[in-house]
């Protein structure tokens, strides 16, 4: 059902943004548990959306770190001052 995925995606986006703002890395679990009391189907879709978003954030951070390291390693070393 597309409605469940749409709702879950929208909420996951908002929760992940709030989580970053608050520095609460498990905030989504609290929200997921609360949702589950009303709709296990929405809870499942929400938790999946959150896990995917969090994995993408971690993957992107690692990618950017490694890319920076590899680019730095390819830069030529600065020339030393010539002897006077």
């Amino acid at each position: 059902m597309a409605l469940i995925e749409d709702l879950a995606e929208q909420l996951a986006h908002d929760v992940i943004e709030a989580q970053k703002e608050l520095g609460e890395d498990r905030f989504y679990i609290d929200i997921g548990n609360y949702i589950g009391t009303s709709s296990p189907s929405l809870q499942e879709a929400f938790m999946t959306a959150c896990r995917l978003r969090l994995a993408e954030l971690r993957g992107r951070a690692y990618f950017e770190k490694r890319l920076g390291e590899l680019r730095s390693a390819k830069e030529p070393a600065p020339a030393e001052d010539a002897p006077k």
Side-chain angles (χ1 to χ4, degrees):
M1 175 183 274
L3 177 60
I4 288 175
E5 283 81 19
D6 291 346
L7 293 173
E9 281 291 326
Q10 291 170 359
L11 185 57
H13 174 268
D14 294 344
V15 169
I16 299 300
E17 289 300 312
Q19 196 167 282
K20 289 191 288 189
E21 174 189 333
L22 300 171
E24 295 286 333
D25 64 345
R26 300 189 56 82
F27 185 51
Y28 77 100
I29 293 172
D30 179 37
I31 303 302
N33 289 337
Y34 187 78
I35 292 168
T37 63
S38 301
S39 174
S41 298
L42 181 57
Q43 178 190 31
E44 172 121 4
F46 169 76
M47 295 300 285
T48 298
C50 286
R51 286 190 296 269
L52 289 170
R53 286 176 178 274
L54 292 169
E56 190 274 337
L57 289 171
R58 288 184 63 208
R60 182 162 302 281
Y62 182 72
F63 162 71
E64 289 171 358
K65 176 183 173 245
R66 289 293 294 141
L67 184 60
E69 291 170 353
L70 293 169
R71 284 180 174 162
S72 293
K74 286 193 169 206
E75 290 178 5
E80 294 184 22
D81 291 322
K84 296 180 183 180

